[in-house]
Amino acid sequence: MNEGLRSELSKQGIFTTTLGDLYNWGRKNSVWPLQFGLACCAIEMIATTMARYDLARFGAEVFRPSPRQADLMIVAGTVTKKMAPQVVRLYNQMPEPKYVIAMGACAISGGPFKQGYNVLKGIDRFIPVDVHIPGCPPRPEALIHAFMTLQKKIETQQLTGVNRPRHLDAEAPSEFPVPKFGGHDLEPPNNPAVWHAPKLVREP
Amino acid sequence: MVMETLEQIKARIENAISGAKPEIIPNESPSAQRSLLLDPAHAVEVAKFLRDDSQLRLDYCSNVTGVDWLDLIIKEKVKVKKVVEGVEKEVEEPVERKRPGYLEAVYHLYSMALKHGPLIIRLRTENRADKNHVPSLTPVWRGAEFQEREIYDLYGIIFDGHPDLRRILMWEGFADHPMRKDYVEPDDYEYEPTPHDEVLEKTKQHHSPEPKP
């Protein structure tokens, strides 16, 4: 159906849509995040859900205490190497379709603790991240912006075709390998299927 | 209330506990906060004395921390009698002395009852490798339990007599002690947004130099 016919019909009081649009409209307005926080970013995440910022306006007020009922993982805070396997395991236990927001400097890169011996240099080394928010910690507005960015992403996802998302592709992985505790570091230190090092930005 | 001087405390320890040889460690920094080095054999007895003595009553161990001292070459000048041009003279000669490294546990003690402190006591291991035992003071100050575990985790000091000596920050099976000065961290510097100094050097090892046009 072309746009002209659709607008002509809507003038006559006939609403038309596609199954894909309807499906994505429902999904993007009922994204339930997983209720867990790792550090101080979690305080901002809690503030975002409270009356002043009110994440409920976007259909995400129900923070689920179980990964099996959650659609969205907000990685709010520093991911230590000791915690990383648990975060990946929680992600694996979430049903598809699932999304990840990496909230704050620590979750996206390790932040101020990046060169410490115990901090993972970004959760995107192990699981695919949909939206990164910088900030230390990001303000609630930034989290809401990230959430709206995720909604836009969900809205444009196609149900069929080569660009269809992972959860509609039977071949694509839904579980990601959980790193093991090694003698000197996590083993493996990253998942090459989801992460590779970007180019060195600054030359001396 | 003012605590006794370190010299007075040292003298009273030597009186009360036979064989104890506390040693005053000078501090040349502006704070001039001196401390008391205890010998491992009598450390628990001395600690009990410090806690229970009616004039000290150091009942609160506010902080326990570790220090890693590497092997050190001390350069000194020693006066030696030498025959120079047929005449015997006293000549200063530079001598190098090697001091083996050791690990140290430092306890900061206060008295809640008498409102004085701090008294700083130190325990030293014999070396940094195999003789890394000191007595645990957790039986004297229960609050030292987790901090001694942390020192065990990060420095590798083994506290004899500790009720539950396990790693606390790193996982079981982790082989290294990250706060030691010779700790080699895993090389995961593939990507740094703003590399500089030694981090830049580490990052560059992961990137082949790009051909310049």
PDB file of all heavy atoms in Angstrom, chain A residues 150-161:
ATOM      1  N   LEU A 150      16.408   3.595  21.778  1.00  0.00           N
ATOM      2  CA  LEU A 150      16.130   2.160  21.659  1.00  0.00           C
ATOM      3  C   LEU A 150      14.743   1.938  21.062  1.00  0.00           C
ATOM      4  O   LEU A 150      14.549   1.059  20.218  1.00  0.00           O
ATOM      5  CB  LEU A 150      16.239   1.503  23.035  1.00  0.00           C
ATOM      6  CG  LEU A 150      15.995  -0.001  23.054  1.00  0.00           C
ATOM      7  CD1 LEU A 150      17.119  -0.705  22.313  1.00  0.00           C
ATOM      8  CD2 LEU A 150      15.890  -0.527  24.461  1.00  0.00           C
ATOM      9  N   GLN A 151      13.764   2.764  21.472  1.00  0.00           N
ATOM     10  CA  GLN A 151      12.417   2.631  20.919  1.00  0.00           C
ATOM     11  C   GLN A 151      12.418   2.870  19.417  1.00  0.00           C
ATOM     12  O   GLN A 151      11.758   2.157  18.661  1.00  0.00           O
ATOM     13  CB  GLN A 151      11.487   3.638  21.602  1.00  0.00           C
ATOM     14  CG  GLN A 151      11.064   3.205  22.988  1.00  0.00           C
ATOM     15  CD  GLN A 151      10.022   4.125  23.569  1.00  0.00           C
ATOM     16  OE1 GLN A 151      10.089   5.331  23.409  1.00  0.00           O
ATOM     17  NE2 GLN A 151       9.058   3.548  24.260  1.00  0.00           N
ATOM     18  N   LYS A 152      13.208   3.870  18.976  1.00  0.00           N
ATOM     19  CA  LYS A 152      13.302   4.142  17.531  1.00  0.00           C
ATOM     20  C   LYS A 152      13.912   2.954  16.812  1.00  0.00           C
ATOM     21  O   LYS A 152      13.519   2.609  15.701  1.00  0.00           O
ATOM     22  CB  LYS A 152      14.152   5.397  17.294  1.00  0.00           C
ATOM     23  CG  LYS A 152      13.440   6.682  17.647  1.00  0.00           C
ATOM     24  CD  LYS A 152      14.031   7.851  16.880  1.00  0.00           C
ATOM     25  CE  LYS A 152      13.372   9.154  17.313  1.00  0.00           C
ATOM     26  NZ  LYS A 152      13.996   9.686  18.544  1.00  0.00           N
ATOM     27  N   LYS A 153      14.884   2.321  17.467  1.00  0.00           N
ATOM     28  CA  LYS A 153      15.522   1.162  16.858  1.00  0.00           C
ATOM     29  C   LYS A 153      14.525   0.005  16.717  1.00  0.00           C
ATOM     30  O   LYS A 153      14.453  -0.643  15.670  1.00  0.00           O
ATOM     31  CB  LYS A 153      16.720   0.724  17.705  1.00  0.00           C
ATOM     32  CG  LYS A 153      17.426  -0.483  17.150  1.00  0.00           C
ATOM     33  CD  LYS A 153      18.656  -0.859  17.944  1.00  0.00           C
ATOM     34  CE  LYS A 153      19.282  -2.097  17.321  1.00  0.00           C
ATOM     35  NZ  LYS A 153      20.576  -2.411  17.906  1.00  0.00           N
ATOM     36  N   ILE A 154      13.740  -0.220  17.781  1.00  0.00           N
ATOM     37  CA  ILE A 154      12.744  -1.294  17.741  1.00  0.00           C
ATOM     38  C   ILE A 154      11.717  -1.018  16.653  1.00  0.00           C
ATOM     39  O   ILE A 154      11.305  -1.911  15.911  1.00  0.00           O
ATOM     40  CB  ILE A 154      12.072  -1.449  19.122  1.00  0.00           C
ATOM     41  CG1 ILE A 154      13.090  -1.882  20.177  1.00  0.00           C
ATOM     42  CG2 ILE A 154      10.929  -2.450  19.058  1.00  0.00           C
ATOM     43  CD1 ILE A 154      12.551  -1.892  21.590  1.00  0.00           C
ATOM     44  N   GLU A 155      11.335   0.257  16.530  1.00  0.00           N
ATOM     45  CA  GLU A 155      10.301   0.658  15.584  1.00  0.00           C
ATOM     46  C   GLU A 155      10.688   0.311  14.150  1.00  0.00           C
ATOM     47  O   GLU A 155       9.847  -0.069  13.338  1.00  0.00           O
ATOM     48  CB  GLU A 155      10.092   2.174  15.715  1.00  0.00           C
ATOM     49  CG  GLU A 155       8.786   2.688  15.196  1.00  0.00           C
ATOM     50  CD  GLU A 155       8.608   4.151  15.531  1.00  0.00           C
ATOM     51  OE1 GLU A 155       9.594   4.833  15.858  1.00  0.00           O
ATOM     52  OE2 GLU A 155       7.462   4.625  15.449  1.00  0.00           O
ATOM     53  N   THR A 156      11.970   0.444  13.822  1.00  0.00           N
ATOM     54  CA  THR A 156      12.385   0.257  12.437  1.00  0.00           C
ATOM     55  C   THR A 156      12.823  -1.176  12.138  1.00  0.00           C
ATOM     56  O   THR A 156      13.250  -1.453  11.020  1.00  0.00           O
ATOM     57  CB  THR A 156      13.561   1.196  12.119  1.00  0.00           C
ATOM     58  OG1 THR A 156      14.606   0.936  13.062  1.00  0.00           O
ATOM     59  CG2 THR A 156      13.161   2.650  12.197  1.00  0.00           C
ATOM     60  N   GLN A 157      12.731  -2.066  13.126  1.00  0.00           N
ATOM     61  CA  GLN A 157      13.171  -3.432  12.858  1.00  0.00           C
ATOM     62  C   GLN A 157      12.176  -4.141  11.944  1.00  0.00           C
ATOM     63  O   GLN A 157      10.960  -4.046  12.122  1.00  0.00           O
ATOM     64  CB  GLN A 157      13.327  -4.199  14.177  1.00  0.00           C
ATOM     65  CG  GLN A 157      14.617  -3.854  14.876  1.00  0.00           C
ATOM     66  CD  GLN A 157      14.853  -4.679  16.121  1.00  0.00           C
ATOM     67  OE1 GLN A 157      13.916  -5.104  16.776  1.00  0.00           O
ATOM     68  NE2 GLN A 157      16.114  -4.890  16.441  1.00  0.00           N
ATOM     69  N   GLN A 158      12.707  -4.876  10.958  1.00  0.00           N
ATOM     70  CA  GLN A 158      11.853  -5.609  10.028  1.00  0.00           C
ATOM     71  C   GLN A 158      11.643  -7.037  10.521  1.00  0.00           C
ATOM     72  O   GLN A 158      12.493  -7.589  11.206  1.00  0.00           O
ATOM     73  CB  GLN A 158      12.496  -5.630   8.649  1.00  0.00           C
ATOM     74  CG  GLN A 158      12.584  -4.253   8.037  1.00  0.00           C
ATOM     75  CD  GLN A 158      13.467  -4.233   6.807  1.00  0.00           C
ATOM     76  OE1 GLN A 158      14.204  -5.175   6.545  1.00  0.00           O
ATOM     77  NE2 GLN A 158      13.366  -3.150   6.057  1.00  0.00           N
ATOM     78  N   LEU A 159      10.493  -7.590  10.151  1.00  0.00           N
ATOM     79  CA  LEU A 159      10.196  -8.944  10.617  1.00  0.00           C
ATOM     80  C   LEU A 159      10.793 -10.000   9.700  1.00  0.00           C
ATOM     81  O   LEU A 159      11.014 -11.130  10.113  1.00  0.00           O
ATOM     82  CB  LEU A 159       8.676  -9.143  10.703  1.00  0.00           C
ATOM     83  CG  LEU A 159       7.921  -8.163  11.596  1.00  0.00           C
ATOM     84  CD1 LEU A 159       6.494  -8.618  11.759  1.00  0.00           C
ATOM     85  CD2 LEU A 159       8.570  -8.033  12.947  1.00  0.00           C
ATOM     86  N   THR A 160      11.016  -9.636   8.452  1.00  0.00           N
ATOM     87  CA  THR A 160      11.559 -10.605   7.492  1.00  0.00           C
ATOM     88  C   THR A 160      12.732  -9.965   6.751  1.00  0.00           C
ATOM     89  O   THR A 160      13.018  -8.784   6.934  1.00  0.00           O
ATOM     90  CB  THR A 160      10.490 -11.031   6.472  1.00  0.00           C
ATOM     91  OG1 THR A 160       9.945  -9.841   5.892  1.00  0.00           O
ATOM     92  CG2 THR A 160       9.400 -11.852   7.114  1.00  0.00           C
ATOM     93  N   GLY A 161      13.379 -10.749   5.917  1.00  0.00           N
ATOM     94  CA  GLY A 161      14.446 -10.221   5.087  1.00  0.00           C
ATOM     95  C   GLY A 161      15.800 -10.407   5.735  1.00  0.00           C
ATOM     96  O   GLY A 161      15.918 -10.873   6.878  1.00  0.00           O
TER      97      GLY A 161
END
